[in-house]
Amino acid sequence: MRATIMEVDTDKFKENIKKIKAYVGNKKLMPVIKANAYGTYINKQLDIINEFDIVAVAIVDEAVSLRNQGFKNEIFILNQPYIDELDDIIKYDITIGLSDETFLEKILEKKEKIKVHLELETGMNRTGIKLDNLSNFIAKIKKNPNIIVEGVYTHLSSADYDEPYTNKQLEIFKEGVQIVKSNFDTIKYIHSSASNGLMNYNDNVSNMVRPGIIMYGYESFEGALDKINVEPICKLKTKITFIKEVSENESISYSRKYITNKKMIVATIPIGYADGLRRELSNKGAVIVNGKKAPILGSICMDSCMIDVTDIEDVRVGCDAYIWDNRVQTIEDIAGECNTINYEILSIVSNRVPRVFK
C-alpha cells in the first residue's frame, strides 16, 4: 500500500445517515453515490449500500459496476443516458431518468420492460421535460406499455441561497407531478431535493430525497452543519519520505518558483497533482505535520511536493502529513485556496490513492 491514502470512517457515515433520516422524517432516502461516492469509495462497500432500497448514480457505467459487484437493489441514473447505452440499461435492470425525445423514440421500439422516472424542467435548464410539452411526452410513452413510469423528479438549481426562485421551481414541479400522477398509477418515487433542498425546503409533494455531499459529512452550503450536525468521514494523508537542509538562495521544485530566503528544513511528501492535490496550492497551500501547518514550497509535482518543516518539532521520515485532517485544515479551507467548492476537492482524489476503511 502507498504511503498516500484516504482514510474513510464508515461508522461516521452510518451516523450521518441516521441524522439525515431523522431530519427528513418519513421521506425515503436515495443516496447519491456517483463519482465513486464523491471520491470516498463508499460505493465499493456492499455491506453499507445494501442497506438502501435505491441508490442514485450519474452514468450507466457506474450502475453496471454496482451490479457487477453484487448490488441487487434499485439503481437510478440521475442524468439522461445516451442511446447507445440502452442495451446495458435493459440487461442490468437499471432505472433511468427520462426527458429526451430522441431517446424516448428509441425505447418505444423495445419489447423489454424499462423503468423510468420522468425529469421535469423547472428552472435548472440542463435537462428535463418542459411543462408545456409534458402531456405530449406522456402520450408518446403510453404507446409502449413496457415503459414503466415509476417516478417523477426535478433538480433545484439554487436551493442554497435563492428562496423565491426555488419556490417558483417547486410550484412548477408540483403542477407537473399532478399531471404525471393523473396519467400513471405506477408512481413510487417523487423527488426534487438533493442536499441543499432537503435541508431548506419541504415541497409537500415529494416522498424521497437525494442526499449527496452531506452524507459524507461536508457542507453543501455555509451553515448547513447547523441544521444537520454530520461529521466528515475522510482524511487525506501521506508520509514524509525525505528530509534535507536547504541553504539560503536555493530554488525548490520545477521552474524555480520558490527561492529560499534563509536556511530551511525541507521535507518531500509523495503526493502530487496526479493524486488530486491541486496545483493552485503551489507556493500557497499547506499540509498538517504534527498538528501544525507546513507550507507547500514551489510547484506541486505530478507525484510529490516539498514542504517547509523548519519550525515543526520532532519531524522525521515516516511522519504523517495530512492534506486535510478535518481539524487544523478542512476540505473547505483547501477549496477556498483553490477558488472552488468542497465537492471538487473531494471528488478529484484519484483512483491511485488507496481508500482505507475503518
Side-chain angles (χ1 to χ4, degrees):
M1 185 174 292
R2 285 188 65 189
T4 302
I5 64 170
M6 181 187 280
E7 296 177 339
V8 183
D9 191 326
T10 55
D11 286 338
K12 284 186 178 179
F13 178 81
K14 293 173 184 177
E15 284 300 313
N16 290 347
I17 292 296
K18 288 180 183 178
K19 292 174 182 177
I20 296 167
K21 284 182 176 179
Y23 190 87
V24 300
N26 60 0
K27 291 191 177 182
K28 196 174 189 67
L29 262 59
M30 179 167 64
V32 179
I33 56 172
K34 62 182 179 178
N36 280 317
Y38 290 50
T40 68
Y41 282 34
I42 286 288
N43 58 311
K44 307 293 186 182
Q45 300 296 296
L46 197 58
D47 61 322
I48 293 177
I49 62 172
N50 272 339
E51 297 296 315
F52 303 108
D53 295 331
I54 182 170
V55 298
V57 295
I59 60 175
V60 172
D61 282 353
E62 292 175 332
V64 171
S65 178
L66 283 174
R67 287 285 185 245
N68 287 336
Q69 72 185 47
F71 185 71
K72 300 184 185 303
N73 298 340
E74 289 188 77
I75 304 173
F76 176 63
I77 306 290
L78 282 162
N79 298 334
Q80 171 67 55
Y82 185 59
I83 291 173
D84 288 353
E85 298 172 313
L86 188 51
D87 288 342
D88 275 344
I89 289 166
I90 295 168
K91 177 181 177 181
Y92 291 97
D93 186 26
I94 299 165
T95 305
I96 60 171
L98 176 63
S99 61
D100 178 63
E101 296 269 4
T102 306
F103 193 90
L104 174 58
E105 293 294 336
K106 191 69 176 178
I107 63 176
L108 285 172
E109 303 170 4
K110 294 294 182 178
K111 296 181 179 179
E112 299 90 348
K113 288 190 181 299
I114 300 172
K115 295 178 292 184
V116 306
H117 295 194
L118 300 185
E119 181 185 0
L120 305 185
E121 168 54 58
T122 61
M124 178 77 166
N125 282 309
R126 183 169 62 182
T127 50
I129 309 161
K130 289 189 175 182
L131 214 57
D132 59 8
N133 189 45
L134 184 56
S135 294
N136 289 334
F137 200 93
I138 288 171
K140 289 182 180 179
I141 290 174
K142 288 185 172 182
K143 294 178 182 179
N144 185 344
N146 291 315
I147 302 174
I148 312 301
V149 180
E150 289 195 336
V152 55
Y153 73 111
T154 195
H155 291 273
L156 303 178
S157 71
S158 311
D160 53 337
Y161 78 98
D162 194 329
E163 184 175 353
Y165 192 78
T166 303
N167 284 331
K168 180 181 177 181
Q169 281 196 266
L170 290 172
E171 284 300 314
I172 296 170
F173 182 59
K174 184 176 181 179
E175 185 177 348
V177 167
Q178 294 308 311
I179 294 171
V180 174
K181 288 178 69 177
S182 68
N183 280 275
F184 301 101
D185 59 7
T186 51
I187 303 299
K188 292 166 56 178
Y189 304 120
I190 302 169
H191 47 111
S192 65
S193 290
S195 293
N196 290 336
L198 73 85
M199 283 186 281
N200 293 331
Y201 297 89
N202 185 350
D203 62 18
N204 296 316
V205 173
S206 297
N207 60 10
M208 186 164 68
V209 294
R210 307 186 300 262
I213 200 165
I214 60 167
M215 295 189 301
Y216 312 110
Y218 303 100
E219 288 193 320
S220 55
F221 60 90
E222 188 175 351
L225 299 189
D226 295 333
K227 296 194 172 190
I228 306 180
N229 187 26
V230 293
E231 293 187 61
I233 71 168
C234 297
K235 295 179 181 180
L236 181 60
K237 75 173 188 177
T238 187
K239 291 183 181 293
I240 291 174
T241 55
F242 194 83
I243 298 175
K244 56 196 169 291
E245 185 177 281
V246 179
S247 301
E248 185 179 357
N249 290 324
E250 291 199 40
S251 61
I252 307 291
S253 195
Y254 289 116
S255 303
R256 305 186 71 234
K257 295 292 179 65
Y258 185 88
I259 307 296
T260 59
N261 57 12
K262 62 180 179 180
K263 184 162 65 176
M264 301 173 67
I265 306 298
V266 176
T268 301
I269 54 176
I271 184 170
Y273 59 79
D275 301 301
L277 185 63
R278 295 279 296 267
R279 290 189 78 244
E280 287 95 329
L281 296 170
S282 297
N283 262 337
K284 70 174 183 178
V287 303
I288 310 305
V289 178
N290 293 343
K292 295 183 178 181
K293 288 190 174 184
I296 294 171
L297 303 177
S299 300
I300 292 172
C301 310
M302 182 179 286
D303 315 300
S304 61
C305 66
M306 280 63 78
I307 58 175
D308 179 7
V309 295
T310 307
D311 298 322
I312 300 176
E313 295 179 358
D314 196 28
V315 176
R316 61 192 183 281
V317 169
C319 275
D320 289 335
Y322 285 90
I323 313 309
W324 68 78
D325 64 350
N326 305 321
R327 186 175 60 86
V328 179
Q329 184 157 271
T330 66
I331 286 184
E332 287 75 21
D333 293 332
I334 295 170
E337 291 274 9
C338 297
N339 194 30
T340 186
I341 55 176
N342 52 5
Y343 294 74
E344 183 176 1
I345 299 302
L346 184 61
S347 64
I348 65 169
V349 177
S350 80
N351 59 8
R352 72 178 194 169
V353 176
R355 272 62 169 180
V356 178
F357 298 92
K358 63 174 188 173

